[in-house]
Amino acid sequence: MGDSSVAGALVPSVPKPEPAPSGDASTAAAAAALALAEEAGARAGSASPQGAAAEGEGPADRDLLCPICMAVIKDAFLTACGHSFCYMCIVTHLNHKSDCPCCGHYLTKAQLYPNFLLDKVLKKISARQIAKTASPIDQVRYALQQGNEMGVKELDSLMTLISEKKRQMEQQESETNMQILLVFLHCLRKQKLEELNEIQTDLQYIKEDISAVERHRIELYRTKERYSMKLRMLLDDPASQKMWPSPIDKASSLYLPNSRTPLSASSPGSLQNKKLDLKAQVSNQGFQWRDALTSSDPPNSPIQSGNVIARKRRVQAQFNELQEYYLQRRRTGAQPRRQEERDIVAMNREGYHAGLQDFQSVLTTFTRYSRLRVIAELRHGDLFHSANIVSSIEFDRDDELFATAGVSKRIKVFEFSSVVNEPSDVHCPVVEMATRSKLSCLSWNKYSKNVIASSDYEGIVTVWDVQTGQSVMEYEEHEKRAWSVDFSRTEPSMLVSGSDDCKVKVWCTKQEASVINIDMKANICSVKYNPGSSFYVAVGSADHHIHYFDLRNPSAPVHIFGGHKKAVSYVKFLSNNELASASTDSTLRLWDVKDNCPVRTFRGHKNEKNFVGLSVNNEYIACGSETNEVFVYHKAISKPAASHRFVSSDVDDADDDPSSYFISAVCWKSDSPTMLTANSQGTIKVLVLAP
């Protein structure tokens, strides 16, 4: 065993020797190698198998590492000072320095000697570790690589075992593959059966709906026939003819005033001929009138047929969307009916199913319109203000007035009927109110016709009296630009605002300070009261989410709607349960605030950086685009139903790139296909949905 006082397991540290004569170098190297071998052999024999197998544990394992690369020594070479290194490691070191890495003794390549004994010990230790940790295949491979002698019979037996093992493994692999394939086929069969059941159920729904529609058509046809029969009876009944003006009397009255010539002046033959012509004319007119009343085809059937063809084309263009909506409504509406009694089901079959009625309403409204038609246009700018961007445009309570606001620091109120009925390039506002800062949003009070609120770039929320043109209240608690303001529909004295200071504030027109303050983590772009409650408020934020608050507990939102990829610029309620949102990710989204789930995503417009406006009514959603276009979506269809591009009529602006302008505000007229739109040039158009 080696002396315990030496440092190192394999190579003891020795004092720096005196320079020896060149003739004694080989002798010193041999002596050092012998000492190394004895020490390595002793340590290898005394080391436990666990210590040898666990790499990096115990001093024996650490002493087998090269001091330079700290890995197990490979191709061990011994220096004259008694240290062992990997050959490549020590040679690379000596290319740069001429000393020993361990003790600093002067060293050259000529003073390096192979350490065969250490290599042998390392190989034995490696073989012992492989025998303990390696797989049988690795052991056989290692034995063959070491050149162990093996007889032919032993090789044959080994090959037989290997072949048998191979066949067994191939069989197991085949069984596993077949099992996986069988599982896949069962899953596929289950999925297709579910799809088949779903298709069969859908076909049953379609069959029931076809029968219901055919019955309804027959009833309509019979009703029309009964009406036509009554008209024929009225026309053929002499008593009824006295009640109705006679065509002959009408014709006679038309003829007699024009015949101012005395009867004696006319020959009997000519008078008789005129009477015969008159009777024939009246008879012909009577038959035409009767045919028009009793005909099954309307008089303007060519126009109607063209309209029907156009509506059929719209159905074909959006067939997939309509199909998806029909099946969705039909399946959703059919589930509760399955739990009812058979007599109730039979009674319901006499009429339309609720899902079919809903789809028919959507189909009717969607195919009714295909374009936007301009019915009026005016310029918002004036000679004294070059800034023309209209940030907000809103109708009043009765849809008689509309107000506009923007960067011109003015609120202008126009009379809608005069704008539509009086053609003029420039319409004068009935009221104009000057502000201190650029305006971002307007909101009319839903109860008081003369009250309107505004928010501006300085964070001031102002309540105005439109009749006097003066401000009633000014709220200055916001620290940054206020983007949005909205009056409550159910509580006329309450309004809410949102700002870049990440705060939502609720105000009361009877108080000078805010009533509720909600701190959020991102900029507020839009706020909107639920039309059916003064407690619920939707907040569109720059954090890509819509936060839905109950103001009775404003500490945390009731729900957070996520799905947009960029800031939410607008939120609007279609109904008490339907919420629409717009974002600078070029999408609109429809949400169900009752079930807290997304309903539909609308794509087709472009909106990446600007506020382009959003407005809703019961069926349609309108928004602007950064392509200077207005887009209209039906709430059941994700693709645009109609669009209109603003084209500049000014000579100076005709050569400008249309993409440099954008739609900045839109507003529907209540329960009407008419809407107001404005763009960044200050052009305001009145558009109406048209077939």
Side-chain angles (χ1 to χ4, degrees):
M1 299 293 293
D3 189 2
S4 60
S5 63
V6 297
L10 297 180
V11 181
S13 60
V14 295
K16 188 176 294 185
E18 295 294 333
S22 60
D24 296 336
S26 60
T27 305
L34 180 60
L36 175 63
E38 291 177 354
E39 183 71 15
R43 291 298 181 98
S46 62
S48 64
Q50 292 82 2
E55 183 178 354
E57 296 181 1
D61 293 327
R62 289 195 297 269
D63 292 337
L64 295 178
L65 304 180
C66 172
I68 297 177
C69 66
M70 299 307 294
V72 178
I73 297 176
K74 183 179 181 181
D75 296 333
F77 266 69
L78 185 67
T79 63
C81 55
H83 298 100
S84 294
F85 302 92
C86 299
Y87 175 74
M88 292 304 300
C89 294
I90 190 60
V91 169
T92 304
H93 174 77
L94 294 177
N95 287 335
H96 299 84
K97 293 184 179 180
S98 298
D99 59 356
C100 175
C102 291
C103 62
H105 186 273
Y106 177 78
L107 185 65
T108 63
K109 293 181 181 179
Q111 295 174 321
L112 299 177
Y113 309 99
N115 195 339
F116 298 109
L117 182 58
L118 180 57
D119 277 339
K120 188 175 182 180
V121 172
L122 292 175
K123 288 180 180 179
K124 287 182 179 180
I125 294 175
S126 177
R128 197 176 295 121
Q129 291 179 349
I130 291 175
K132 291 181 178 180
T133 61
S135 64
I137 300 299
D138 293 334
Q139 293 178 5
V140 173
R141 183 182 294 109
Y142 182 78
L144 294 176
Q145 290 176 352
Q146 296 299 320
N148 294 338
E149 295 182 358
M150 187 177 298
V152 177
K153 292 183 178 181
E154 295 176 350
L155 285 175
D156 289 340
S157 176
L158 182 61
M159 293 181 65
T160 302
L161 291 174
I162 293 175
S163 299
E164 185 65 26
K165 184 65 176 177
K166 179 182 177 182
R167 285 194 297 269
Q168 183 180 359
M169 293 178 65
E170 288 177 348
Q171 183 178 358
Q172 291 179 354
E173 186 177 0
S174 299
E175 292 178 358
T176 303
N177 293 337
M178 294 299 292
Q179 184 178 3
I180 295 174
L181 179 60
L182 189 61
V183 170
F184 168 77
L185 292 175
H186 279 301
C187 293
L188 182 61
R189 179 175 178 272
K190 180 181 179 181
Q191 178 182 346
K192 293 303 178 182
L193 285 176
E194 292 176 355
E195 293 178 359
L196 179 60
N197 292 334
E198 186 177 8
I199 291 175
Q200 289 176 346
T201 305
D202 293 342
L203 287 174
Q204 183 63 29
Y205 295 155
I206 296 171
K207 182 179 178 181
E208 293 176 2
D209 292 344
I210 289 176
S211 300
V213 173
E214 289 293 343
R215 287 197 302 269
H216 191 59
R217 285 190 62 190
I218 292 173
E219 291 175 0
L220 291 176
Y221 179 77
R222 290 175 178 174
T223 302
K224 186 173 68 172
E225 286 296 322
R226 287 194 296 268
Y227 180 70
S228 300
M229 184 65 68
K230 289 181 181 179
L231 285 178
R232 292 191 187 97
M233 293 174 63
L234 289 173
L235 292 174
D236 294 337
D237 187 5
S240 63
Q241 289 181 1
K242 294 180 180 180
M243 300 174 59
W244 292 84
S246 173
I248 298 178
D249 295 339
K250 287 183 179 181
S252 301
S253 63
L254 291 174
Y255 171 75
L256 291 176
N258 294 332
S259 57
R260 298 182 182 273
T261 306
L263 293 178
S264 59
S266 301
S267 62
S270 61
L271 181 60
Q272 185 176 2
N273 292 334
K274 288 182 179 180
K275 288 182 178 180
L276 292 175
D277 294 339
L278 178 61
K279 287 183 179 180
Q281 182 179 2
V282 170
S283 177
N284 187 22
Q285 291 178 353
F287 282 120
Q288 289 180 357
W289 181 46
R290 182 179 300 179
D291 291 340
L293 291 174
T294 59
S295 175
S296 60
D297 295 330
N300 56 346
S301 58
I303 299 177
Q304 287 192 356
S305 61
N307 185 23
V308 170
I309 292 174
R311 296 181 69 175
K312 287 181 178 179
R313 289 176 180 172
R314 292 171 209 151
V315 171
Q316 293 297 327
Q318 302 291 345
F319 186 81
N320 292 335
E321 298 276 346
L322 292 170
Q323 171 187 255
E324 180 181 355
Y325 184 77
Y326 165 77
L327 294 177
Q328 175 189 358
R329 300 304 303 169
R330 197 60 173 85
R331 293 166 184 167
T332 304
Q335 290 176 359
R337 199 192 69 174
R338 295 177 183 175
Q339 303 174 359
E340 298 176 355
E341 299 296 334
R342 293 184 179 180
D343 55 346
I344 300 178
V345 173
M347 186 171 58
N348 287 342
R349 287 178 180 175
E350 297 299 328
Y352 274 11
H353 187 276
L356 180 61
Q357 290 180 348
D358 187 13
F359 176 74
Q360 184 182 18
S361 174
V362 169
L363 186 66
T364 301
T365 55
F366 176 74
T367 59
R368 182 181 299 162
Y369 308 115
S370 63
R371 63 188 179 93
L372 288 167
R373 181 168 58 88
V374 180
I375 61 175
E377 181 176 345
L378 70 150
R379 296 284 297 181
H380 184 262
D382 52 45
L383 298 176
F384 305 101
H385 298 87
S386 59
N388 295 328
I389 298 178
V390 179
S391 302
S392 181
I393 185 167
E394 293 288 329
F395 274 105
D396 72 341
R397 180 194 64 187
D398 302 325
D399 292 333
E400 296 175 352
L401 305 175
F402 67 91
T404 64
V407 299
S408 63
K409 302 181 182 181
R410 273 173 165 72
I411 301 175
K412 297 181 180 181
V413 180
F414 297 89
E415 187 177 1
F416 180 75
S417 59
S418 63
V419 171
V420 174
N421 299 325
E422 299 176 6
S424 174
D425 294 337
V426 178
H427 291 270
C428 296
V430 294
V431 178
E432 186 170 348
M433 296 169 284
T435 61
R436 292 178 294 176
S437 178
K438 299 177 182 178
L439 297 169
S440 58
C441 185
L442 295 175
S443 178
W444 284 90
N445 191 288
K446 308 307 182 292
Y447 282 80
S448 179
K449 185 181 179 65
N450 295 322
V451 177
I452 190 172
S454 67
S455 59
D456 63 28
Y457 280 36
E458 293 183 359
I460 301 174
V461 177
T462 307
V463 179
W464 302 84
D465 187 335
V466 176
Q467 189 172 6
T468 61
Q470 301 296 322
S471 63
V472 179
M473 296 287 291
E474 286 190 358
Y475 305 103
E476 302 182 4
E477 293 185 18
H478 283 300
E479 300 173 359
K480 294 183 180 180
R481 174 169 43 189
W483 280 117
S484 181
V485 63
D486 184 53
F487 266 112
S488 171
R489 287 181 176 271
T490 57
E491 186 60 45
S493 63
M494 304 300 294
L495 64 158
V496 62
S497 61
S499 168
D500 272 341
D501 60 4
C502 307
K503 293 180 181 180
V504 176
K505 291 183 178 291
V506 179
W507 316 89
C508 179
T509 55
K510 302 175 183 178
Q511 301 181 20
E512 295 182 356
S514 60
V515 179
I516 299 174
N517 182 32
I518 303 175
D519 290 325
M520 300 184 64
K521 297 180 180 180
N523 300 35
I524 309 303
C525 301
S526 180
V527 291
K528 199 70 178 177
Y529 268 107
N530 188 308
S533 173
S534 61
F535 299 123
Y536 292 99
V537 172
V539 179
S541 174
D543 64 357
H544 310 175
H545 295 87
I546 299 105
H547 302 257
Y548 194 50
F549 284 95
D550 185 345
L551 298 181
R552 292 168 293 187
N553 183 20
S555 59
V558 176
H559 189 76
I560 298 177
F561 297 93
H564 285 295
K565 298 180 180 179
K566 290 186 178 181
V568 179
S569 52
Y570 295 96
V571 286
K572 301 282 185 178
F573 281 94
L574 283 79
S575 64
N576 295 347
N577 298 326
E578 294 175 305
L579 174 67
S581 62
S583 170
T584 50
D585 61 2
S586 297
T587 65
L588 306 180
R589 289 181 180 266
L590 184 64
W591 313 89
D592 189 331
V593 297
K594 181 180 180 181
D595 297 332
N596 295 333
C597 63
V599 177
R600 190 163 288 102
T601 302
F602 306 90
R603 293 183 174 88
H605 63 286
K606 180 182 179 182
N607 181 19
E608 297 178 351
K609 58 181 179 179
N610 296 302
F611 285 83
V612 296
L614 177 70
S615 184
V616 299
N617 60 17
N618 293 334
E619 297 290 336
Y620 288 96
I621 305 173
C623 71
S625 174
E626 290 169 357
T627 57
N628 211 17
E629 293 176 279
V630 180
F631 285 84
V632 175
Y633 297 88
H634 192 282
K635 68 177 183 179
I637 308 299
S638 61
K639 296 181 180 179
S643 64
H644 173 76
R645 181 184 294 274
F646 274 51
V647 179
S648 177
S649 59
D650 293 344
V651 178
D652 297 336
D653 299 335
D655 298 332
D656 292 348
D657 184 10
S659 61
S660 61
Y661 304 110
F662 59 92
I663 303 299
S664 56
V666 293
C667 182
W668 284 106
K669 190 178 180 182
S670 300
D671 300 327
S672 169
T674 305
M675 63 186 303
L676 293 170
T677 60
N679 74 342
S680 56
Q681 289 177 284
T683 302
I684 299 175
K685 291 186 178 183
V686 183
L687 304 177
V688 62
L689 286 169

